[in-house]
Each structure stands twice: as structure tokens, then as C-alpha cells.
Amino acid sequence: MTLDPDLLVAIETYFDAIHDCDIQKLSAVFHPQSSLFDADNGSIFVEPIDSFSRDVAGRVSPASKGQPREAEVLMIDHLSPISATVKIRIRAHQSIFVDHLGFVKGEDGWQIVSKIWHLESTLNRDDEGT
């Protein structure tokens, strides 16, 4: 299956939204009925996109602290020409997350319909330059 360049643009929009705490970009890349999931604490935590957007809006962005954007695509698995799972790794301040993002291409282009995240590691201040 051929990789849709618009999917790559949507992934970059997600990376920018998190790095800049940009709610407009977040709203553009997430479907309005999407939800986010985490089970790192032993129970399933579900957060609707509206709640997540408010959380992001209240954060100090990594960009404003001078942190370079550290984000990479680990895998893209197409389920069909209009649906894909994208595994990424992204740093926000001292936290390194691995996310599985469920993308669907609809009338508004590629949008995230679900996000499962895992806190992979937390850097010590001494590790910040590495």
C-alpha cells in the first residue's frame, strides 16, 4: 500500500500540537469524538478529547522552554487506504511517551480517532542534554 503523504502531514501536525501546546492544531488532527486511553497505573483511564485539549491548553509548552522537538514515527500499519495505526515516540519536557494513534481519513482528512499512550520513561535533569 502506498503511504499517503497527507497522513505524514497529520502526524507532523500532532507532533507540533504537543510540542507547542497548540490547541488549534490539536483540534485539527483529532476527531471531535475521539478519546485517549492509558493503563499505566493498573486501571484503564479514558479521557475524551475535549478534556485532553483543556489539559494541553493549561500546560507550559516544551517549545516555550527551548526544548527541541523530539518525536519519531516508529511504525505505520495501514488497515485500509483510509485507516492506519501509527506508533510514535515523543518527548514532552522530561517525559518520553510511546503512543498508538488510530487514524481515519474522512471528509476532514486524516484525523486521530483514538490514542493509547504509555509513559516509557522519565528523564532526570542530568539526562536532559542527551
Side-chain angles (χ1 to χ4, degrees):
M1 188 169 304
T2 305
L3 183 60
D4 185 336
D6 292 337
L7 176 57
L8 296 177
V9 170
I11 295 166
E12 290 297 320
T13 300
Y14 172 75
F15 288 160
D16 288 343
I18 298 301
H19 185 67
D20 300 333
C21 293
D22 186 322
I23 302 311
Q24 288 181 317
K25 288 182 181 177
L26 205 64
S27 294
V29 77
F30 274 90
H31 187 277
Q33 294 178 342
S34 61
S35 291
L36 298 85
F37 303 86
D38 169 51
D40 284 341
N41 292 325
S43 61
I44 297 174
F45 172 77
V46 181
E47 184 173 31
I49 188 58
D50 290 342
S51 174
F52 180 66
S53 293
R54 285 190 301 275
D55 290 346
V56 171
R59 296 178 184 170
V60 174
S61 73
S64 71
K65 293 291 192 178
Q67 181 183 46
R69 193 181 88 171
E70 295 178 42
E72 62 181 321
V73 175
L74 302 174
M75 176 208 63
I76 298 175
D77 183 18
H78 281 275
L79 289 93
S80 75
I82 60 168
S83 59
T85 299
V86 178
K87 182 178 181 180
I88 60 102
R89 179 176 289 118
I90 189 166
R91 178 178 172 192
H93 300 292
Q94 302 311 111
S95 299
I96 310 283
F97 295 94
V98 175
D99 298 346
H100 277 220
L101 306 172
F103 277 91
V104 175
K105 186 176 185 179
E107 58 192 33
D108 293 324
W110 286 99
Q111 290 186 303
I112 299 168
V113 294
S114 66
K115 171 182 167 176
I116 302 171
W117 83 90
H118 165 66
L119 177 61
E120 183 178 67
S121 63
T122 303
L123 300 174
N124 295 322
R125 291 260 179 225
D126 296 340
D127 299 333
E128 197 163 323
T130 60

